[in-house]
Each structure stands twice: as C-alpha cells, then as structure tokens.
Amino acid sequence: MSDVVMPQMGESIAEGTIVRWIKKVGDRVDRDEPLFEISTDKVDAEIPSPAAGVLLEVRAKEGETVPVNAVVAVIGEAGAMAAAGPARAAATSAPVPGTAPTPAPAAVSTPAPAAAVVPASPAQKPPAQAGGELAGDELRRMKSSPLVRKIAEEHDVDIAAIVGSGLGGRVTKQDILAHLEKGSAPGGATAPARQSEAAQPSPHVPAFKPGDVVQVVPMSVMRKKIAEHMVFSKRTSAHVHSVFEVDYTRITKIRDEKKADYQRQGVKLTFMSFLMKAAVDALKAVPVVNSSVDGDAVVYKKEINLGIAVALDWGLIVPVIKRAEEKNVLGLSRAIQDLASRARSKQLKPDEVQGGTFTITNPGVFGALFGMPIISQPQVAIMGVGHIEKRVAVVDDMIAIRTKGYLSLGYDHRIIDGAVADEYMSHVKKTLENFDSSAV
C-alpha cells in the first residue's frame, strides 16, 4: 500500500485544504492521474496520484485543512481493502506502554459534550518522541508554519503561549493575528488597559439584520487566504502610491507591425509584453525596488522573478517568471502565456507561484483608469497597469490623438522614498515611450 500525503506546495507553505476529491474510495487510479484538488495561500492545484492501484481510504474530508506531509489517503490493491480496516483498528486500540487501556464503548450511548481544553501548566514538559524529549524550538516548529514564526518573532510573541486551532493544536496565522488583535504584550503577557485603541480588536458590526433579504455564501479557501495576506501586508508595509501617465503610441505601432510574426510562433504580443520588459529594465536600474525587508536590513535580490497577477473565475493567482532579466520580449511573452494558461487549468507547479521579487497587476483590462494595489509580501513594490485607450493630447502645441494609459506604483515607504519610486517609474515611462523596435 502507498500513503498519499499533503504535498509541500511552496517553501513557506505548512498546510493545505482539500477542496475536492476527484476519485472516490474504491475507484481505480493510475499513477500521475489527478487524485484530489487542494488550495493553499499560494496556488490551487490538482494533485496526481503517487502510485497506481485502488483508492482504499480517504483520511481527510473535503474542506479539511491538514499540515504538509500528513497522510490524506491510502492506495493499494483491491484485495487489501478489507484487511486495511481491521489492521488500523488493531493499531489504534493497542495500548500505549505506561498507559491504561481504553475501556470499550457502551453498546448504546448518546453523544457526550466535548471536553474542555485545559492549558498545560508551566511545569509540564513537551511530549516525548522515540529520540527523546522535544526541545522548545522543535515543538514550536511542529505547532506553527514559517510565516507564523516570523510574525511571532517580529512582535516578540511566544508561540507556546497561544492555543492553536489547527490540526493537532497547530497555531495558524489566524490564531496569532487574533492574539495580536487582543493586545497581547511581548512574551504572551496581557497588555495594559491604557494601550492605544488601534491595538484593540474592532467591534463586530453585523453585515445584515434579521429579516433582511440576503444570500450568505462562505468564502472559498483561496478568497480567505487572499484576505489574510492583504490585511497582513497592510499591517506590515507603509504603503504609498505614485501614478504616471504613459504614451503608448509608439508601442501600439510596434505591436501592430510585429504581432503577426509572433502569432506565427504561437505567441501573443500584448501590451503586457512591453510592460514586463520595461519593468525588468527599470528594476536593474533601481535595484532597491527588487528587494525585501528583513528586520532592520535590506535584502537585495540578484535575480528578477516577475510575478504577473492572473484573474481567475474563483480568485486571483500570481504565477512567477523566474530570472526574467535573462529573457527578451519574445521570451517574456511566451512565459506569461504559458503560466496564465496553466493557472486557469490548475496545472501550475509549486515553484511557479513562489519566489517573486516584484509584481505587475492589470486592473486596466477591466476598464479601470488605474489601481492602488497592495504589495505582495515580502516584496516592497507592485506596479498597476491602467486602461490603455486613445485620448486627446497636446503634442508640439497642437491637439493630437495619442494612445495613453496610467501606471501606478505601490511601494513600501520603509525603504523606498518618493524620489526613488519616481525614478523607477520615470525609467519605465521612458523605456515604453522610446521602445527599441529591434528588441521585439
């Protein structure tokens, strides 16, 4: 028999949610055939079967969130199905050395109320494993994800003092954010009453009153994750935005001349193709925009991993073009076309949605003049593309029709000053308005 585990869908991902089981218990499945669909805070994906055989058991239900590497199903031969249940039952009922055996349940019983969770006293030690007792740091790693530990470190919070709501007592991001909202002081102590109102939890305002004609629909896993990340980013970065107007007339002419050549190669030449190239060139010229903040240090990224936001029917995803500085306009166009297509069919791989160093989002495709996007952590900037259209302009003291649009830059004012942000945007604007046609 083969165990099916929750895969690691990114370096910072510690858990995933089962969205849908594509196969049911008793179904035969081939190796690499889609088995179930998961959602994380990075990607929605169909997970292939690690082996061929029959799906003997499903251990995680649809909608359940489980940690990485937890067994979610078992695959084996059809004959093993009957034996699998008794074997597991025997293993479950076997008494643990040093403990009293569990009494057999009564023939007929009514559901008992859930037992109250009693916090462990300080004198209690962490549970032991075969190799000995767990050290405090090891226990914290088991109880939390890297993101949760980072938040705890930044706010000097002891994770062991937080009661986790995740599987096996795991401390989730919601748990630690709720802990901070309550105004907990460093080390888990309760903050004094005189703490500022901004640190206190906001009162709940009902979204509707009894009798209102409404439809209540639960958020999808992806939508909840997006909401968490957006709130976290606003709390982390000092957001400031700058907006520039760009003349795309030259880009439009080049695109009309070259798009047939690109189509023959199976690639679409879009405005985004030029925007990506201009953004990459500007990141080379102003490298602090391609960095991250680590405590009181600035981490300059030597590679440009360009994230491009892709709108889906069920949310938003940001596939990443790795080492974009090594690609020309054709290479960038081919890369984003491939990633966007596979994003919509849920075929992206884990490393294709992580490691981004700068992001471009395009609200203009829906007609917005410009957007004020929120930075994707741990990046420090994001560029928004506004609607591109023909407008009346003054050129050489004469009225003219030009193709124009706005570009916005959301940046982290902790390390990027307005002058630096404007320098970056000026470089993008200059590249687009004077684009070298030989580079296409």
Side-chain angles (χ1 to χ4, degrees), residues 239-242 358 372-373 375 380-384 408-412:
H239 281 69
V240 181
H241 291 82
S242 291
F358 182 82
M372 298 295 184
I375 299 165
V380 295
I382 181 171
M383 189 168 76
S408 62
L409 183 73
Y411 57 95
D412 191 338

Side-chain angles (χ1 to χ4, degrees), residues 110-115:
T110 57

Side-chain angles (χ1 to χ4, degrees), residues 384-399:
V385 181
H387 186 56
I388 300 171
E389 60 186 355
K390 288 184 178 181
R391 296 175 187 164
V392 176
V394 177
V395 179
D396 297 330
D397 291 333
M398 293 186 293
I399 301 297

Side-chain angles (χ1 to χ4, degrees), residues 147-157 159 176 294:
L147 177 59
V148 170
R149 293 197 295 274
K150 183 178 180 182
I151 297 173
E153 183 179 350
E154 290 175 350
H155 293 84
D156 194 20
V157 172
I159 295 177
I176 193 167
D294 186 11

Side-chain angles (χ1 to χ4, degrees), residues 6 47 73 141 146 163 196 250 281 309 337 343 351 393 408:
M6 174 62 68
I47 305 304
R141 278 193 290 273
V163 178
S196 66
R250 178 170 175 77
D281 290 348
Q337 182 173 311
D351 64 343
S408 62

Side-chain angles (χ1 to χ4, degrees), residues 103-110:
V108 179
S109 62
T110 57

Side-chain angles (χ1 to χ4, degrees), residues 158-176:
D158 182 5
I159 295 177
I162 302 175
V163 178
S165 63
L167 192 67
R170 188 180 190 83
V171 178
T172 66
K173 189 196 303 182
Q174 295 96 316
D175 294 333
I176 193 167

